[in-house]
């Protein structure tokens, strides 16, 4: 059994990622840690437990972490995710309580308790992960890889050049990317690529399985808020978003990556939070002057097999066990 931990800001597409991760028979989702991002921390924790309830996965530990980025105030994304952070579907509130320990302690505990190295999957601003790596750097020895949704090798969404998660906490993104832990950046270059057609999410929304029904409603919400976005394939299609990063963990063959230097722009001003990806192959003035490229070389996802990932996602929900 392979071991995974998700760090989320649930979040409509984080919810889709949770559903996909729980429905993988060959993966053990050891814990889910929460951070402020798409909505405030309390909302993220509630939404996360609501999704796990729909999945019948009440035994997976959920822990609250950072309520704001390292330097700046929290800024939510209600215009995409709704005022409750999960599409304002008026879902029943979970009766579960999160762990009493802080997310950083739960991450440390679960990483060390894991029988094999853990794949850590941040789908949110990386505040919790930066705090973890600074507080307990020794956890790196039992982390297989960090596969994070964040950044972009092209354009941004929160700003013209910065993606939401790296823009929300640029210092945290810098700490994680430069940590030396093997990392894959699942950025905006692939984030919008995998979509579900309208007929499929409408069908999910009428399923007898509560998690499939939830996925159908969430995808319907995403189709509405992203209608007309030039990055989505097909009219009425809904993007898998963060769930695409979980696809990349489960089925890395569907992802094309290149090892490239990445540097997070930390300066105040219009480029703050941008991930500057160095695609150049030749010597440059900068490289000659500095004796090498700036940034840290990580695997940057540049293309995705959309059909393969769409099928992976839908198969997890269409399984005969789940209606
Ligand atoms: C990222 O920001 C959030 O809106 C999504 O959940 C995703 O993690 C995309 O920029
Ligand atoms: Ca997210």
């Amino acid at each position: 059994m392979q071991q995974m931990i998700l760090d989320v800001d649930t979040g409509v597409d984080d919810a889709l990622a949770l559903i996909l991760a729980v429905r993988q028979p060959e993966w053990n989702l050891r814990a889910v840690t929460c951070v402020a991002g798409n909505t405030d921390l309390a909302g993220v924790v509630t939404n996360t437990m609501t999704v796990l309830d729909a999945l019948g996965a009440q035994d997976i530990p959920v822990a609250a972490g950072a309520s704001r980025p390292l330097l700046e105030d929290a800024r939510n994304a209600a215009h995409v995710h709704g005022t409750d952070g999960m599409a304002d579907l008026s879902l029943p509130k979970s009766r579960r309580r999160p762990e009493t320990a802080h997310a950083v302690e739960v991450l440390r505990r679960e990483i060390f308790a894991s029988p094999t190295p853990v794949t850590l999957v941040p789908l949110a601003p990386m505040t919790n992960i930066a705090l973890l790596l600074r507080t307990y750097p020794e956890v790196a020895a039992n982390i297989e890889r960090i596969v994070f949704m964040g950044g972009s090798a092209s354009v941004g969404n929160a700003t013209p050049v910065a993606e939401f998660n790296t823009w929300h906490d640029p210092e945290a993104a810098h700490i994680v990317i430069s940590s030396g832990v093997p990392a894959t950046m699942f950025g905006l270059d692939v984030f919008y690529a995998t979509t579900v057609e309208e007929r499929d999410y409408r069908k999910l929304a009428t399923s007898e399985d509560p998690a499939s029904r939830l996925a159908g409603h969430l995808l319907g919400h995403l189709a509405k808020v992203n209608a007309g976005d030039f990055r989505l394939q097909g009219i009425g299609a809904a993007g898998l978003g963060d769930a695409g990063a979980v696809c990349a963990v489960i089925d890395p063959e569907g992802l094309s990556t290149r090892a490239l230097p990445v540097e997070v722009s930390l300066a105040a001003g219009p480029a703050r939070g941008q991930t500057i990806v160095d695609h150049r192959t030749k010597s440059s003035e900068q490289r000659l002057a500095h004796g090498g490229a700036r940034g840290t070389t990580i695997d940057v996802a540049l293309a995705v097999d959309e059909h393969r990932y769409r099928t992976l996602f839908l198969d997890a929900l269409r399984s005969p066990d789940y209606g």
Side-chain angles (χ1 to χ4, degrees), residues 78-144:
H79 61 291
V80 177
H81 297 266
T83 51
D84 72 352
M86 217 165 67
D88 296 317
L89 294 174
S90 306
L91 298 165
K93 290 259 181 299
S94 174
R95 295 203 181 155
R96 272 187 74 179
R97 296 214 169 275
E99 298 262 314
T100 48
H102 190 276
V104 168
E105 299 302 327
V106 172
L107 284 163
R108 175 182 183 272
R109 181 187 81 199
E110 292 300 327
I111 290 169
F112 278 135
S114 176
T116 54
V118 170
T119 301
L120 189 52
V121 192
L123 304 173
M126 290 198 277
T127 323
N128 286 343
I129 313 304
L131 290 169
L132 171 75
L133 293 174
R134 282 290 196 253
T135 315
Y136 302 115
E138 61 275 18
V139 293
N142 210 30
I143 298 176
E144 175 75 28

Side-chain angles (χ1 to χ4, degrees), residues 243-256:
V246 174
C247 291
V249 170
I250 299 161
D251 181 14
E253 300 290 304
L255 197 69
S256 306

Side-chain angles (χ1 to χ4, degrees), residues 43-264:
V44 171
V45 172
T46 302
N47 294 342
T48 300
M49 293 193 302
T50 300
V51 177
L52 294 179
D53 283 359
L55 285 156
Q58 287 89 344
D59 51 330
I60 297 175
V62 173
S67 59
R68 51 169 290 189
L70 296 179
L71 292 189
E72 301 191 55
D73 292 333
R75 294 161 288 182
N76 70 35
H79 61 291
V80 177
H81 297 266
T83 51
D84 72 352
M86 217 165 67
D88 296 317
L89 294 174
S90 306
L91 298 165
K93 290 259 181 299
S94 174
R95 295 203 181 155
R96 272 187 74 179
R97 296 214 169 275
E99 298 262 314
T100 48
H102 190 276
V104 168
E105 299 302 327
V106 172
L107 284 163
R108 175 182 183 272
R109 181 187 81 199
E110 292 300 327
I111 290 169
F112 278 135
S114 176
T116 54
V118 170
T119 301
L120 189 52
V121 192
L123 304 173
M126 290 198 277
T127 323
N128 286 343
I129 313 304
L131 290 169
L132 171 75
L133 293 174
R134 282 290 196 253
T135 315
Y136 302 115
E138 61 275 18
V139 293
N142 210 30
I143 298 176
E144 175 75 28
R145 174 169 286 270
I146 297 177
V147 178
F148 68 93
M149 191 289 128
S152 171
S154 49
V155 296
N157 57 0
T159 77
V161 296
E163 181 280 329
F164 178 82
N165 292 336
T166 53
W167 167 81
H168 198 261
D169 197 339
E171 281 70 26
H174 168 73
I175 289 169
V176 175
I177 288 170
S178 62
S179 67
V181 178
T184 301
M185 180 171 112
F186 187 94
L188 292 182
D189 319 283
V190 284
F191 179 81
Y192 294 102
T194 307
T195 57
V196 175
E197 293 295 322
E198 187 170 358
R199 61 167 188 278
D200 287 321
Y201 62 74
R202 281 190 185 278
K203 199 165 164 212
L204 286 173
T206 60
S207 167
E208 289 186 7
D209 163 43
S212 299
R213 235 175 15 245
L214 177 59
H217 289 304
L218 294 171
L219 285 162
H221 169 87
L222 284 175
K224 257 188 260 153
V225 293
N226 292 324
D229 192 306
F230 68 96
R231 293 166 289 205
L232 291 176
Q233 319 279 328
I235 295 163
L240 283 188
D242 286 343
V246 174
C247 291
V249 170
I250 299 161
D251 181 14
E253 300 290 304
L255 197 69
S256 306
T257 62
R258 268 183 75 193
L260 294 169
V262 177
E263 180 181 11
V264 183

